[in-house]
């Protein structure tokens, strides 16, 4: 590991960035340096602009990757190198506005039935039942499950914030079946070796296999479980502030996105049309 990379990691840790963010930022800066074949401290504003054009035109990078790269480079130049003048030339992209993909209850049931591995099925069901991100699910410890209070503790989630989510009887039953087979000691979903948590990549691959086996036409990712959780709660009558709290969103506007995909939220429009429509005699 180069001294420059080590210094950036230390700068991120001092500011209490999560390990996932540290990995993403260092990977983005490494890709940037590799593109030019030079150490990143030898590159300047022109290189930054050329690399952004490369991401957009040649690589056709997603908004998420482009934005992660921008954030990583801004941190690297401003904090690690102390070159604030370079940061002024790093433009932020306009955010894409895409509605989340949500599965119906029947599609979700078929999806879970298609997951053959008990551990993979349990973690995906947990993500749906509690509205968890994949990193939050793999980071669960045995001590985070409070079966008496029926709560799951999410430790240091996005934004370094803890939160609690309720645990219904259905996932608790799945936990007990899973527990009788795997008997986890520290991590709720241990990986290989067992003293490490299950890799998020393993869960993502299990999700892809289940989608193909269930023959679902919709694109399904691990984050779809979280989208389904929020949308199904909304359709069951849960108010937006409560869903916001359970998801750990900072802004209610983020949670309000699910109004656009909830069939319950769209029903009033249909009923209004029916009220003014009078069939000809």
């Amino acid at each position: 590991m180069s001294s420059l990379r080590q210094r950036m990691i230390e700068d991120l840790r001092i500011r209490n960035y999560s390990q996932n963010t540290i990995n993403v930022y260092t990977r983005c800066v490494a890709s940037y340096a590799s593109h030019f074949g030079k150490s990143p401290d030898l590159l300047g504003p022109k290189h930054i602009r050329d690399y952004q054009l490369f991401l957009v035109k040649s690589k056709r990078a997603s908004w998420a990757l482009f934005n992660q790269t921008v954030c990583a480079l801004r941190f690297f130049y401003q904090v690690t190198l102390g070159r604030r003048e370079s940061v002024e030339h790093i433009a932020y992209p306009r955010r894409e506005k895409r509605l989340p993909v949500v599965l119906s209850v029947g599609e979700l049931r078929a999806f879970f039935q298609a997951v053959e591995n008990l551990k993979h099925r349990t973690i995906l069901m947990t993500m749906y039942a509690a509205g968890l991100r994949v990193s939050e699910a793999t980071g669960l410890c045995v001590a985070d499950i409070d079966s008496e209070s029926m709560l799951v503790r999410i430790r240091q989630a996005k934004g370094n914030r803890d939160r609690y989510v309720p645990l219904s009887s259905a996932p608790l039953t799945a936990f007990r079946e899973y527990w009788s087979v795997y008997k986890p000691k520290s991590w709720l979903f241990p990986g290989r070796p067992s003293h490490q948590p299950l890799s998020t990549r393993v869960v993502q691959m299990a999700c892809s296999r289940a989608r193909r086996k269930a023959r679902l036409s919709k694109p399904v990712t691990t984050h779809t479980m979280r989208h389904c959780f929020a949308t199904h709660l909304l359709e069951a009558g849960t108010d937006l502030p409560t869903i916001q709290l359970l998801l750990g969103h900072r802004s209610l506007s983020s949670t309000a996105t699910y109004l656009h995909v909830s069939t319950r939220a769209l029903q009033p429009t249909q009923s209004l049309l029916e009220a003014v429509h009078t069939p000809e005699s």
Side-chain angles (χ1 to χ4, degrees):
M1 181 186 295
S2 69
S3 59
L4 192 60
R5 181 186 179 95
Q6 180 62 39
R7 194 167 80 202
M8 181 179 178
I9 291 174
E10 290 171 352
D11 289 336
L12 287 162
R13 286 177 175 163
I14 288 171
R15 287 156 182 80
N16 201 28
Y17 281 72
S18 70
Q19 187 58 50
N20 184 60
T21 301
I22 292 173
N23 294 340
V24 170
Y25 277 24
T26 52
R27 185 167 61 244
C28 286
V29 173
S31 297
Y32 164 68
S34 176
H35 178 74
F36 294 103
K38 293 183 179 180
S39 176
D41 59 333
L42 300 177
L43 305 173
K46 182 181 182 302
H47 298 96
I48 296 170
R49 185 176 185 277
D50 289 347
Y51 188 64
Q52 286 183 305
L53 288 173
F54 162 74
L55 290 177
V56 172
K57 292 184 176 181
S58 302
K59 194 168 183 178
R60 298 184 182 278
S62 65
W63 177 88
L65 175 59
F66 192 98
N67 191 58
Q68 287 170 348
T69 302
V70 167
C71 293
L73 292 178
R74 289 179 71 90
F75 183 93
F76 175 74
Y77 279 99
Q78 182 170 336
V79 178
T80 302
L81 294 184
R83 287 161 49 179
R84 295 179 179 274
E85 70 282 359
S86 298
V87 174
E88 298 174 3
H89 300 274
I90 307 178
Y92 273 112
R94 291 183 63 183
R95 182 166 190 164
E96 297 175 341
K97 295 182 179 179
R98 295 185 179 182
L99 293 178
V101 173
V102 177
L103 302 179
S104 67
V105 173
E107 289 171 327
L108 200 57
R109 186 181 296 112
F111 172 80
F112 287 137
Q113 290 174 348
V115 185
E116 298 177 355
N117 183 282
L118 177 59
K119 181 188 291 186
H120 299 164
R121 183 168 64 252
T122 305
I123 193 171
L124 287 165
M125 289 178 68
T126 303
M127 290 169 63
Y128 167 66
L132 306 184
R133 301 175 178 91
V134 63
S135 58
E136 294 171 348
T138 56
L140 286 175
C141 293
V142 172
D144 294 329
I145 308 300
D146 188 340
S147 57
E148 289 187 10
S149 301
M150 299 294 282
L151 292 172
V152 180
R153 181 189 180 194
I154 314 302
R155 293 173 293 104
Q156 294 297 285
K158 189 174 181 180
N160 295 323
R161 290 171 293 172
D162 289 0
R163 73 179 190 276
Y164 283 93
V165 291
L167 179 66
S168 63
S169 57
L172 188 57
T173 302
F175 276 143
R176 285 169 177 162
E177 180 187 359
Y178 163 74
W179 193 290
S180 66
V181 175
Y182 286 91
K183 297 179 175 58
K185 293 180 174 58
S186 177
W187 297 107
L188 184 60
F189 301 105
R192 293 181 180 176
S194 60
H195 65 269
Q196 293 181 353
L198 187 66
S199 166
T200 57
R201 180 59 181 160
V202 170
V203 185
Q204 290 162 349
M205 291 173 63
C207 185
S208 297
R209 288 195 299 269
R211 173 192 171 273
R212 291 193 298 269
K213 187 176 179 181
R215 298 183 179 180
L216 297 175
S217 58
K218 297 176 181 177
V220 181
T221 67
T222 51
H223 214 64
T224 304
M225 303 298 104
R226 184 169 162 89
H227 294 323
C228 291
F229 166 82
T231 306
H232 293 172
L233 277 182
L234 187 61
E235 292 176 346
T238 308
D239 60 86
L240 278 178
T242 299
I243 298 174
Q244 176 192 6
L245 181 66
L246 295 175
L247 290 175
H249 284 164
R250 286 186 176 179
S251 171
L252 187 61
S253 61
S254 299
T255 316
T257 301
Y258 297 105
L259 287 171
H260 297 280
V261 293
S262 167
T263 56
R264 177 177 173 270
L266 298 175
Q267 283 173 357
T269 304
Q270 298 171 356
S271 61
L272 284 174
L273 182 60
E274 292 169 357
V276 299
H277 177 68
T278 54
E280 295 181 1
S281 57

